PDB file of all heavy atoms in Angstrom:
ATOM      1  N   ARG A 458      79.908 110.287 109.890  1.00 87.00           N
ATOM      2  CA  ARG A 458      79.143 109.193 110.409  1.00 87.00           C
ATOM      3  C   ARG A 458      80.139 108.154 111.100  1.00 87.00           C
ATOM      4  O   ARG A 458      79.723 107.529 112.031  1.00 87.00           O
ATOM      5  CB  ARG A 458      78.363 108.571 109.430  1.00 87.00           C
ATOM      6  CG  ARG A 458      77.297 109.410 108.778  1.00 87.00           C
ATOM      7  CD  ARG A 458      76.369 110.096 109.923  1.00 87.00           C
ATOM      8  NE  ARG A 458      75.716 109.160 110.663  1.00 87.00           N
ATOM      9  CZ  ARG A 458      74.424 109.260 111.045  1.00 87.00           C
ATOM     10  NH1 ARG A 458      73.584 110.210 110.517  1.00 87.00           N
ATOM     11  NH2 ARG A 458      73.822 108.421 111.875  1.00 87.00           N
ATOM     12  N   LEU A 459      81.246 107.868 110.477  1.00 90.00           N
ATOM     13  CA  LEU A 459      82.047 106.853 110.880  1.00 90.00           C
ATOM     14  C   LEU A 459      82.729 107.186 112.327  1.00 90.00           C
ATOM     15  O   LEU A 459      82.724 106.483 113.261  1.00 90.00           O
ATOM     16  CB  LEU A 459      83.245 106.609 109.916  1.00 90.00           C
ATOM     17  CG  LEU A 459      82.879 105.875 108.563  1.00 90.00           C
ATOM     18  CD1 LEU A 459      84.040 105.853 107.694  1.00 90.00           C
ATOM     19  CD2 LEU A 459      82.533 104.416 108.945  1.00 90.00           C
ATOM     20  N   VAL A 460      82.997 108.515 112.430  1.00 91.00           N
ATOM     21  CA  VAL A 460      83.462 109.067 113.631  1.00 91.00           C
ATOM     22  C   VAL A 460      82.492 108.967 114.869  1.00 91.00           C
ATOM     23  O   VAL A 460      82.750 108.624 115.921  1.00 91.00           O
ATOM     24  CB  VAL A 460      84.151 110.408 113.420  1.00 91.00           C
ATOM     25  CG1 VAL A 460      84.513 111.149 114.815  1.00 91.00           C
ATOM     26  CG2 VAL A 460      85.463 110.344 112.717  1.00 91.00           C
ATOM     27  N   GLU A 461      81.283 109.357 114.372  1.00 89.00           N
ATOM     28  CA  GLU A 461      80.284 109.324 115.343  1.00 89.00           C
ATOM     29  C   GLU A 461      79.927 107.851 115.916  1.00 89.00           C
ATOM     30  O   GLU A 461      79.623 107.678 117.096  1.00 89.00           O
ATOM     31  CB  GLU A 461      78.832 109.805 114.764  1.00 89.00           C
ATOM     32  CG  GLU A 461      78.686 111.201 114.791  1.00 89.00           C
ATOM     33  CD  GLU A 461      77.586 111.662 114.017  1.00 89.00           C
ATOM     34  OE1 GLU A 461      76.758 110.853 113.562  1.00 89.00           O
ATOM     35  OE2 GLU A 461      77.504 112.863 113.626  1.00 89.00           O
ATOM     36  N   GLN A 462      80.110 106.902 114.930  1.00 89.00           N
ATOM     37  CA  GLN A 462      79.716 105.466 115.356  1.00 89.00           C
ATOM     38  C   GLN A 462      80.801 105.152 116.477  1.00 89.00           C
ATOM     39  O   GLN A 462      80.503 104.169 117.198  1.00 89.00           O
ATOM     40  CB  GLN A 462      79.925 104.650 114.140  1.00 89.00           C
ATOM     41  CG  GLN A 462      79.465 103.321 114.164  1.00 89.00           C
ATOM     42  CD  GLN A 462      77.940 103.344 114.508  1.00 89.00           C
ATOM     43  OE1 GLN A 462      77.195 104.212 114.052  1.00 89.00           O
ATOM     44  NE2 GLN A 462      77.473 102.340 115.323  1.00 89.00           N
ATOM     45  N   ARG A 463      81.873 105.705 116.641  1.00 90.00           N
ATOM     46  CA  ARG A 463      82.778 105.367 117.881  1.00 90.00           C
ATOM     47  C   ARG A 463      82.079 105.382 119.231  1.00 90.00           C
ATOM     48  O   ARG A 463      82.355 104.525 120.091  1.00 90.00           O
ATOM     49  CB  ARG A 463      84.084 106.226 117.944  1.00 90.00           C
ATOM     50  CG  ARG A 463      84.833 106.041 116.619  1.00 90.00           C
ATOM     51  CD  ARG A 463      86.209 106.831 116.716  1.00 90.00           C
ATOM     52  NE  ARG A 463      85.819 108.288 117.241  1.00 90.00           N
ATOM     53  CZ  ARG A 463      86.834 108.914 117.912  1.00 90.00           C
ATOM     54  NH1 ARG A 463      87.895 108.495 118.076  1.00 90.00           N
ATOM     55  NH2 ARG A 463      86.413 110.215 118.223  1.00 90.00           N
ATOM     56  N   THR A 464      81.280 106.381 119.214  1.00 89.00           N
ATOM     57  CA  THR A 464      80.640 106.539 120.645  1.00 89.00           C
ATOM     58  C   THR A 464      79.560 105.471 120.911  1.00 89.00           C
ATOM     59  O   THR A 464      79.116 105.371 121.979  1.00 89.00           O
ATOM     60  CB  THR A 464      79.905 107.900 120.652  1.00 89.00           C
ATOM     61  OG1 THR A 464      78.897 108.030 119.601  1.00 89.00           O
ATOM     62  CG2 THR A 464      80.935 109.026 120.619  1.00 89.00           C
ATOM     63  N   GLU A 465      79.269 104.565 119.939  1.00 88.00           N
ATOM     64  CA  GLU A 465      78.273 103.483 120.213  1.00 88.00           C
ATOM     65  C   GLU A 465      79.020 102.308 120.450  1.00 88.00           C
ATOM     66  O   GLU A 465      78.538 101.210 120.351  1.00 88.00           O
ATOM     67  CB  GLU A 465      77.528 103.270 118.676  1.00 88.00           C
ATOM     68  CG  GLU A 465      76.901 104.443 118.133  1.00 88.00           C
ATOM     69  CD  GLU A 465      75.513 104.685 119.013  1.00 88.00           C
ATOM     70  OE1 GLU A 465      74.889 103.822 119.287  1.00 88.00           O
ATOM     71  OE2 GLU A 465      75.068 106.016 118.954  1.00 88.00           O
ATOM     72  N   ASP A 466      80.347 102.354 120.764  1.00 90.00           N
ATOM     73  CA  ASP A 466      81.091 101.193 121.284  1.00 90.00           C
ATOM     74  C   ASP A 466      81.407 100.319 120.063  1.00 90.00           C
ATOM     75  O   ASP A 466      81.817  99.032 120.348  1.00 90.00           O
ATOM     76  CB  ASP A 466      80.396 100.474 122.298  1.00 90.00           C
ATOM     77  CG  ASP A 466      81.124 100.673 123.715  1.00 90.00           C
ATOM     78  OD1 ASP A 466      82.082 101.610 123.690  1.00 90.00           O
ATOM     79  OD2 ASP A 466      80.772 100.095 124.706  1.00 90.00           O
ATOM     80  N   THR A 467      81.166 100.719 118.860  1.00 93.00           N
ATOM     81  CA  THR A 467      81.543  99.906 117.833  1.00 93.00           C
ATOM     82  C   THR A 467      83.249  99.936 117.559  1.00 93.00           C
ATOM     83  O   THR A 467      83.781 101.049 117.644  1.00 93.00           O
ATOM     84  CB  THR A 467      80.973 100.354 116.469  1.00 93.00           C
ATOM     85  OG1 THR A 467      79.594 100.404 116.682  1.00 93.00           O
ATOM     86  CG2 THR A 467      81.219  99.662 115.180  1.00 93.00           C
ATOM     87  N   ALA A 468      83.729  98.826 117.203  1.00 94.00           N
ATOM     88  CA  ALA A 468      85.194  98.692 116.841  1.00 94.00           C
ATOM     89  C   ALA A 468      85.126  98.896 115.291  1.00 94.00           C
ATOM     90  O   ALA A 468      84.389  98.122 114.431  1.00 94.00           O
ATOM     91  CB  ALA A 468      85.686  97.356 117.259  1.00 94.00           C
ATOM     92  N   ILE A 469      85.826  99.958 114.779  1.00 95.00           N
ATOM     93  CA  ILE A 469      85.761 100.256 113.382  1.00 95.00           C
ATOM     94  C   ILE A 469      87.119 100.067 112.638  1.00 95.00           C
ATOM     95  O   ILE A 469      88.152 100.569 113.156  1.00 95.00           O
ATOM     96  CB  ILE A 469      85.430 101.654 113.160  1.00 95.00           C
ATOM     97  CG1 ILE A 469      84.058 101.946 113.944  1.00 95.00           C
ATOM     98  CG2 ILE A 469      85.182 102.147 111.692  1.00 95.00           C
ATOM     99  CD1 ILE A 469      83.605 103.351 114.034  1.00 95.00           C
ATOM    100  N   LEU A 470      87.112  99.256 111.546  1.00 96.00           N
ATOM    101  CA  LEU A 470      88.334  99.048 110.811  1.00 96.00           C
ATOM    102  C   LEU A 470      88.069  99.652 109.410  1.00 96.00           C
ATOM    103  O   LEU A 470      87.094  99.395 108.674  1.00 96.00           O
ATOM    104  CB  LEU A 470      88.459  97.564 110.642  1.00 96.00           C
ATOM    105  CG  LEU A 470      89.711  97.066 109.853  1.00 96.00           C
ATOM    106  CD1 LEU A 470      90.991  97.424 110.498  1.00 96.00           C
ATOM    107  CD2 LEU A 470      89.724  95.601 109.674  1.00 96.00           C
ATOM    108  N   VAL A 471      88.894 100.725 109.071  1.00 95.00           N
ATOM    109  CA  VAL A 471      88.809 101.473 107.884  1.00 95.00           C
ATOM    110  C   VAL A 471      89.991 101.081 107.013  1.00 95.00           C
ATOM    111  O   VAL A 471      91.042 101.214 107.469  1.00 95.00           O
ATOM    112  CB  VAL A 471      88.745 102.923 108.096  1.00 95.00           C
ATOM    113  CG1 VAL A 471      88.830 103.663 106.706  1.00 95.00           C
ATOM    114  CG2 VAL A 471      87.602 103.293 108.774  1.00 95.00           C
ATOM    115  N   ILE A 472      89.805 100.583 105.806  1.00 93.00           N
ATOM    116  CA  ILE A 472      90.844 100.239 104.905  1.00 93.00           C
ATOM    117  C   ILE A 472      90.868 101.308 103.835  1.00 93.00           C
ATOM    118  O   ILE A 472      89.822 101.475 103.228  1.00 93.00           O
ATOM    119  CB  ILE A 472      90.702  98.838 104.388  1.00 93.00           C
ATOM    120  CG1 ILE A 472      90.813  97.860 105.410  1.00 93.00           C
ATOM    121  CG2 ILE A 472      91.727  98.577 103.272  1.00 93.00           C
ATOM    122  CD1 ILE A 472      90.103  96.598 105.164  1.00 93.00           C
TER     123      ILE A 472
END
Side-chain angles (χ1 to χ4, degrees):
Chain A
R458 297 305 306 224
L459 287 172
V460 167
E461 276 171 14
Q462 195 58 33
R463 297 187 310 156
T464 54
E465 307 278 332
D466 253 8
T467 302
I469 302 169
L470 181 64
V471 173
I472 294 156

